[in-house]
């Protein structure tokens, strides 16, 4: 920062004119902050995304403040994965998307992605990467589900923190987004996410809170949508009360692109940087400053935070070009360690090439794989592994591998088309079908309107299975799809959007070079109607009520005793694991205690493999309604055949608490907790019980409208009542007892009940005052 480099951010702000302040907190063009040359303040470059760097040479290197910026930006967001979307985007590594990385449940892998993304950012001069996105996968229909990790805040927070720490350790800033409740793309800038406070605290904000506590991202990106009627970028409770005051966050809040509707309100609420540059918003802010309608103190805070960010982002040294080939290998490995084996009847997988003569591969997904979703997160892949090529690399003289393209499924000719496919498959040992969700309405800016696959797929898969073929289905999809043929096929692999190394990763799993070790990070429903909150989705009249409250994802299926297609946490391996001898280091838990949980995990099968072990807690007799079980910790353990390891977890107070909105506090209140370890949310292998020494309840505020039972359940209030009846009205001890007996079963308020029996001998005010005194 030149001759002013000795000044700290607060001092620099004092040297800025109003115009310069507005410049500084309004970005420059689509992807930069503004430079203020007189003070030596440099501009920094930022870009998307969360699983690959999208560097558009025309947008970043062409002139600043381009009038076409809005059109260019909208084109980017609305692009479909099939369009020729990478015109001027530099090749980079397209890693597995959030939907697949989430299935790794592996913080070390997430850190490897972060480290590689940092290297690519530095080689392109990008100082701030606009990710990771960790919105809760509330519905599989969500257009951006593919970018996000999970329906559970523990996975969201843990993976995000690992990725953020890896990037920031190398001097590249991150943006934890989209804060908060951007869970659907329909009317995404106008539809209010109406969420009760418990669900906000326990689900939607919890992942952000965890990631921030563990990694302190340099920026947090506020979301497009309103929350409970207030735009996220203008939400003072969210951005100031919760984020800064309660969580102690000191970094910068950046708006999502063009998310701010009222810049003055957004500054007052705590949104610092308005991106991208918008001439109209800048004009309005400057006018408000001049007329005294903008909060100057908050404006200076925003300037200071932008300056702090610019400083942090300017320390990293640009690095040498990245070895994209090494990153390609990493992309393959991460996909291989994340893909989920959903079904494997009679151990049909892995395939042994030496025992097979002919495999038929069906579907364009084998030659033109869908490796990523659509929208602003897309990456121009440096190279793409085509599944058919990777599969063929394993075939030899004795194993033939044929490919059939996705058929055109013309109306009226479906039967003939399927008959032709069956004929082509005659004599094949195994059929591998590459299946994808129907492409309509998908990606950023649009939710799916169905869980269905491409029309030809269900019919073809069912016909192949009916003809007694061994059928393996490989699924590429943003989130869950319907699988009406599930019972009839032999194996199903969920590859989600596996990134550029997906073709090789899928092949390694099919041929057993990789033992599958991913597990689902979101529940798969049987039917679209089973999706939690389905009856109030996607909202109307600009309000989307999150009707399932805290019962999001598996919490809902458990509560409703609904059988999912595949439960949260499910994933198979080519080996087996046994869970043994669970023990706790204590018998009860109170306010400040921690509890160590230990058990032995054994690989009881014949192959090396990794197991994701999951720890859930199940509250017994909590004071408020709580999910049957909730994930609190997880780890991934690598074991050789017959090897056993001790797995330990440490649980602390917050892991047992729920949020009580009546008190505005996290409280510990249950009779006991079952500590469960298992292989999925529906496959609990070991359980132990821990008694609870609950927080004491603060005396409930009582009034004349409180029922007699409520009053009598509080010993001091009961005393007050007896005094009023006995001392004040002069009833004897027996008479008082009889009156109390008479009123105790009433469901009316104490005043209405007493005045019924004793006329108006006791005034409402007297009761009110006596009860109020209890809270003095
Ligand atoms: C997306 C953000 C993204 C930004 C910049 C917005 O439309 O919601 O996730 O970082 O564009 O591309």
């Amino acid at each position: 920062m030149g001759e002013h480099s000795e000044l700290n951010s607060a001092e620099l702000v004092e040297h800025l004119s109003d115009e310069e302040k507005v410049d500084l907190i309004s970005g420059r063009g689509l992807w930069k902050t503004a430079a203020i040359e007189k003070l030596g303040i440099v501009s920094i470059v930022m870009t998307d995304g969360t699983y690959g760097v999208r560097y558009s040479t025309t947008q970043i290197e062409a002139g600043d403040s381009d009038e076409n910026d809005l059109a260019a930006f909208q084109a980017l967001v609305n692009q479909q994965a099939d369009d020729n979307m990478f015109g001027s985007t530099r090749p980079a590594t397209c890693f597995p998307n959030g939907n697949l990385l989430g299935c790794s449940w592996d913080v070390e892998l997430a850190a490897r992605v972060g480290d590689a993304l940092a290297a690519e950012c530095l080689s392109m001069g990008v100082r701030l990467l606009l990710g990771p996105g960790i919105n809760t996968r509330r519905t599989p229909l969500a257009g951006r589900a593919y970018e996000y990790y999970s329906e559970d805040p523990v996975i969201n927070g843990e993976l995000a923190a690992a990725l953020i720490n890896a990037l920031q350790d190398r001097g590249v800033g991150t943006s934890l987004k989209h804060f908060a409740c951007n869970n659907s793309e329909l009317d995404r800038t106008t539809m209010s996410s109406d969420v009760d406070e418990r669900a906000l605290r326990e689900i939607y904000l919890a992942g952000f809170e965890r990631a921030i506590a563990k990694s302190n991202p340099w920026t947090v990106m506020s979301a497009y949508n309103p929350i409970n009627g207030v735009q996220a970028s203008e939400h003072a409770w969210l951005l100031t009360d919760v984020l800064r005051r309660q969580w102690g966050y000191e970094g910068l809040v950046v708006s999502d692109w063009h998310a701010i509707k009222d810049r003055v309100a957004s500054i007052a609420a705590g949104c610092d940087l308005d991106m991208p540059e918008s001439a109209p918003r800048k004009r309005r802010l400057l006018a408000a400053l001049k007329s005294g309608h903008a909060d100057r103190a908050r404006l200076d805070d925003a300037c200071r935070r932008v300056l702090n960010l610019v400083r942090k982002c300017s320390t990293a040294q640009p690095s040498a070009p990245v070895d994209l080939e090494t990153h390609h290998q990493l992309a393959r490995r991460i996909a291989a360690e994340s893909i989920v084996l959903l079904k494997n009847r009679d151990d049909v997988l892995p395939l042994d090439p030496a025992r097979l003569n002919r495999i038929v591969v069906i579907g364009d997904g084998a030659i033109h794989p869908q490796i990523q979703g659509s929208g602003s997160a897309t990456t121009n892949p440096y190279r793409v592994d085509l599944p058919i090529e990777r599969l063929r690399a394993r075939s030899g003289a004795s194993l033939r591998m044929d490919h059939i393209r996705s058929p055109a499924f013309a109306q009226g000719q479906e039967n003939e088309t399927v008959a032709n496919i069956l004929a082509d498959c005659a004599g094949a040992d195994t059929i591998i079908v590459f299946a994808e969700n129907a492409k309509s309405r998908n990606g950023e800016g649009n939710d799916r309107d169905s869980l269905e696959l491409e029309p030809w797929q269900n019919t073809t898969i069912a016909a192949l299975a009916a003809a007694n073929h061994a059928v393996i289905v490989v699924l590429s999809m943003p989130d869950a799809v319907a699988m009406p043929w599930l019972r009839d096929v032999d194996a199903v692999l969920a590859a989600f959007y596996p990134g550029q190394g997906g073709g090789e990763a899928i092949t390694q799993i099919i041929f057993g070079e990789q033992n599958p070790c991913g597990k689902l990070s979101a529940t798969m429903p049987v039917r679209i109607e089973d999706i939690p909150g389905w009856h109030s989705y996607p909202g109307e009249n600009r309000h989307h009520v999150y009707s399932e409250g805290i019962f999001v994802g598996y919490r809902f299926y458990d509560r409703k005793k609904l059988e999912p297609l595949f439960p949260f946490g499910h994933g198979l391996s080519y080996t087996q694991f046994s869970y043994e001898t669970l023990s706790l280091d204590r018998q009860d838990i109170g306010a400040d205690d921690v509890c160590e949980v230990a058990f032995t995990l054994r690989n009881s099968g014949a192959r090396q493999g990794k197991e994701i072990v999951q720890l859930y807690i199940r509250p017994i007799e909590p004071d408020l309604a709580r999910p049957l079980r909730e994930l609190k910790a997880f780890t991934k353990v690598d074991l050789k055949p017959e090897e056993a390891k001790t797995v330990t977890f440490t649980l602390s107070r917050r892991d047992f608490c729920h949020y009580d909105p009546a008190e505005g506090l996290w409280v510990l209140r249950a009779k006991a907790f079952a500590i469960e370890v298992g292989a999925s949310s529906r496959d609990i292998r070991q359980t132990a019980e821990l008694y609870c020494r609950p927080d004491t309840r603060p005396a409930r505020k009582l009034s004349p409208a409180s029922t007699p039972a409520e009053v009598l359940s509080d010993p001091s209030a009961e005393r007050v009542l007896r005094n009023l009846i006995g001392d004040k009205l002069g009833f004897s001890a027996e008479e008082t007892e009889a009156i109390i007996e008479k009123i105790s079963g009433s469901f009316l308020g104490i005043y209405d009940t007493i005045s019924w029996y004793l006329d108006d001998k006791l005034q409402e005010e007297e009761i009110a005052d006596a009860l109020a005194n209890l809270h003095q």
Side-chain angles (χ1 to χ4, degrees):
M1 294 198 185
E3 58 178 290
H4 295 92
S5 57
E6 73 288 355
L7 299 183
N8 65 31
S9 300
E11 289 160 346
L12 275 174
V13 173
E14 288 170 21
H15 289 76
L16 295 172
S17 66
D18 282 355
E19 285 75 6
E20 286 163 342
K21 287 179 182 176
V22 171
D23 268 353
L24 189 64
I25 61 169
S26 304
R28 175 54 41 92
L30 272 174
W31 307 112
K32 291 179 191 165
T33 56
I36 311 278
E37 274 161 25
K38 82 171 193 209
L39 295 176
I41 298 164
V42 297
S43 156
I44 56 161
V45 174
M46 61 191 84
T47 196
D48 293 298
T50 65
Y51 58 83
V53 185
R54 193 199 66 245
Y55 186 100
S56 158
T57 47
T58 46
Q59 290 178 0
I60 295 176
E61 289 163 17
D64 288 332
S65 216
D66 184 341
E67 281 211 351
N68 294 325
D69 274 359
L70 184 61
F73 173 62
Q74 301 237 5
L76 167 93
V77 167
N78 294 331
Q79 69 195 340
Q80 284 296 305
D82 276 354
D83 300 349
N84 182 15
M85 58 187 180
F86 299 120
S88 60
T89 308
R90 283 201 197 160
T93 309
C94 177
F95 287 100
N97 293 189
N99 57 1
L100 185 59
L101 185 61
C103 296
S104 73
W105 300 54
D106 189 334
V107 287
E108 271 151 42
L109 276 191
R112 295 292 305 274
V113 179
D115 191 58
L117 290 174
E120 296 194 20
C121 282
L122 290 173
S123 76
M124 298 185 209
V126 172
R127 302 310 189 144
L128 175 66
L129 189 68
L130 301 173
I134 59 162
N135 292 90
T136 306
R137 298 244 298 273
R138 173 175 178 255
T139 163
L141 300 173
R144 299 184 83 172
Y146 79 91
E147 288 183 58
Y148 304 141
Y149 301 138
S150 175
E151 69 189 15
D152 186 273
V154 175
I155 299 182
N156 284 333
E158 291 293 319
L159 294 189
L163 189 108
I164 291 168
N165 280 327
L167 272 144
Q168 294 185 169
D169 282 352
R170 297 191 63 165
V172 178
T174 58
S175 199
L176 186 64
K177 66 187 186 184
H178 307 86
F179 192 56
C181 299
N182 191 176
N183 307 100
S184 157
E185 291 299 286
L186 302 181
D187 297 323
R188 65 173 165 158
T189 61
T190 52
M191 183 70 85
S192 171
S193 300
D194 288 358
V195 194
D196 66 74
E197 190 178 357
R198 247 190 105 188
L200 278 172
R201 299 279 188 173
E202 294 185 17
I203 307 284
Y204 297 99
L205 303 185
F208 286 92
E209 186 182 8
R210 193 175 191 105
I212 288 170
K214 293 195 154 188
S215 66
N216 195 19
W218 293 354
T219 79
V220 167
M221 188 188 290
S222 58
Y224 274 129
N225 49 289
I227 299 161
N228 295 326
V230 181
Q231 289 301 138
S233 297
E234 296 154 23
H235 210 300
W237 177 82
L238 186 71
L239 303 183
T240 298
D241 294 352
V242 174
L243 179 65
R244 297 202 188 282
R245 297 208 181 112
Q246 294 169 17
W247 299 352
Y249 178 68
E250 288 179 350
L252 171 133
V253 175
V254 56
S255 69
D256 200 346
W257 266 228
H258 294 295
I260 294 176
K261 299 193 171 171
D262 178 342
R263 182 57 173 132
V264 174
S266 78
I267 289 179
C271 182
D272 304 303
L273 178 60
D274 175 5
M275 286 300 292
E277 183 178 15
S278 148
R281 283 195 298 273
K282 284 170 77 173
R283 248 189 335 261
R284 289 196 287 267
L285 175 58
L286 196 57
L289 268 179
K290 302 281 182 211
S291 65
H293 288 96
D295 183 335
R296 285 192 171 269
R298 283 294 306 112
L299 179 92
D300 286 356
D301 286 345
C303 290
R304 197 173 38 75
R305 292 200 191 104
V306 174
L307 291 171
N308 287 344
L309 175 73
V310 170
R311 262 183 220 272
K312 281 197 266 190
C313 290
S314 310
T315 54
Q317 296 303 313
S319 76
V322 171
D323 178 7
L324 287 177
E325 198 44 42
T326 310
H327 284 188
H328 183 66
Q329 299 304 328
L330 179 63
R332 286 176 162 179
R333 203 190 118 209
I334 293 166
E337 301 229 343
S338 307
I339 289 171
V340 186
L341 177 61
L342 292 174
K343 174 175 180 180
N344 194 18
R345 184 161 63 194
D346 300 333
D347 294 334
V348 63
L349 289 177
L351 300 182
D352 179 354
R355 291 170 166 222
L356 299 171
N357 297 316
R358 182 170 172 243
I359 295 176
V360 178
V361 179
I362 306 181
D364 282 3
I367 53 171
H368 183 50
Q370 207 174 351
I371 62 166
Q372 62 178 328
S374 305
S376 58
T378 43
T379 306
N380 182 6
Y382 144 77
R383 62 177 272 205
V384 177
D385 287 338
L386 302 186
I388 191 69
E389 286 181 7
R390 306 314 309 151
L391 288 164
R392 281 199 170 126
R394 272 73 172 184
S395 61
S398 63
L399 172 59
R400 208 174 110 194
M401 189 97 58
D402 295 323
H403 180 245
I404 301 176
R405 295 205 52 175
S406 301
F409 221 46
Q411 226 184 356
Q413 286 164 23
E414 293 92 343
N415 291 344
E416 194 187 327
T417 308
V418 172
N420 287 340
I421 294 177
L422 287 178
D424 286 345
C425 291
D429 306 296
T430 304
I431 317 288
I432 305 176
V433 182
F434 279 78
E436 294 167 349
N437 63 287
K439 287 204 181 62
S440 69
R441 299 188 57 184
N442 181 20
E444 185 168 345
N446 234 330
D447 284 10
R448 279 189 289 166
D449 54 6
S450 115
L451 295 175
E452 294 306 313
L453 295 175
E454 290 277 0
W456 65 270
Q457 293 168 354
N458 285 344
T459 324
T460 308
I461 293 170
L464 288 163
N468 286 329
H469 281 294
V471 181
I472 296 159
V473 180
V474 180
L475 290 165
S476 180
M477 59 204 170
D479 205 326
V481 292
M483 304 180 207
W485 33 258
L486 182 60
R487 253 203 262 171
D488 306 321
V489 301
D490 294 276
V492 184
L493 275 180
F496 291 91
Y497 286 157
Q500 64 184 52
E504 170 67 11
I506 291 164
T507 304
Q508 289 176 1
I509 290 177
I510 287 178
F511 289 109
E513 297 155 30
Q514 165 78 38
N515 192 350
C517 57
K519 292 194 180 188
L520 292 180
S521 57
T523 312
M524 291 193 166
V526 174
R527 324 170 302 155
I528 198 167
E529 294 83 1
D530 290 350
I531 296 172
W534 167 250
H535 65 283
S536 60
Y537 170 89
E540 54 195 16
N541 287 336
R542 297 200 169 163
H543 287 275
H544 184 176
V545 177
Y546 284 29
S547 51
E548 75 281 30
I550 54 171
F551 299 100
V552 173
Y554 61 91
R555 294 160 168 86
F556 180 81
Y557 293 83
D558 288 346
R559 177 93 172 164
K560 300 264 291 181
K561 295 198 167 66
L562 261 184
E563 211 42 56
L565 190 63
F566 289 106
F568 175 79
H570 168 78
L572 304 173
S573 164
Y574 295 151
T575 188
Q576 296 84 41
F577 300 95
S578 62
Y579 291 63
E580 301 160 7
T581 55
L582 174 65
S583 67
L584 310 180
D585 72 339
R586 55 186 316 124
Q587 290 177 341
D588 58 8
I589 186 109
D592 300 314
D593 300 330
V594 293
C595 175
E596 295 274 341
V597 181
F599 68 96
T600 303
L601 183 75
R602 185 180 306 281
N603 182 345
S604 46
R607 300 176 59 117
Q608 173 275 340
K610 289 186 179 176
E611 169 75 333
I612 295 165
V613 298
Q614 302 158 40
L615 184 151
Y616 296 86
I617 69 148
R618 187 155 54 82
I620 297 164
E621 293 184 29
D623 68 332
L624 300 184
R626 290 187 67 174
L628 179 74
R629 61 173 56 89
E630 291 188 281
L631 182 76
K632 293 297 166 183
F634 61 85
T635 189
K636 201 162 185 174
V637 189
D638 189 0
L639 292 173
K640 298 192 202 70
E642 294 308 322
E643 193 186 3
K645 282 186 186 158
T646 304
V647 180
T648 54
F649 293 109
T650 305
L651 298 173
S652 55
R653 172 184 162 86
R654 178 66 181 269
D655 294 317
F656 297 94
C657 286
H658 60 280
Y659 191 81
D660 188 342
E663 291 164 47
L665 289 174
W666 290 91
V667 295
L668 178 65
R669 281 198 202 120
K671 187 172 160 219
F673 295 96
I675 309 296
E676 305 178 325
V677 292
S680 90
S681 64
R682 294 276 172 111
D683 184 6
I684 301 300
R685 304 286 184 85
Q686 294 265 308
T687 304
E689 201 161 284
L690 186 64
Y691 289 95
C692 174
R693 284 176 281 112
D695 297 345
T696 48
R697 247 188 179 293
R700 200 180 298 176
K701 282 233 157 79
L702 296 170
S703 75
S706 306
T707 62
E710 278 178 314
V711 174
L712 294 169
S713 70
D714 182 325
S716 43
E718 181 185 357
R719 248 189 327 268
V720 164
L721 184 66
R722 284 178 185 280
N723 288 346
L724 282 174
I725 299 172
D727 301 350
K728 180 115 206 322
L729 302 182
F731 286 104
S732 69
E734 282 100 66
E735 286 164 339
T736 304
E737 207 47 53
I739 294 169
I740 294 219
E741 172 79 31
K742 220 190 264 182
I743 64 171
S744 63
S746 165
F747 62 85
L748 301 178
I750 186 100
Y751 167 67
D752 283 346
T753 309
I754 289 184
S755 66
W756 181 267
Y757 293 112
L758 304 180
D759 301 328
D760 263 345
K761 290 201 185 78
L762 214 48
Q763 298 300 308
E764 187 169 5
E765 295 70 37
E766 288 174 292
I767 298 181
D769 289 349
L771 292 175
N773 279 340
L774 288 172
H775 299 285
Q776 296 290 302

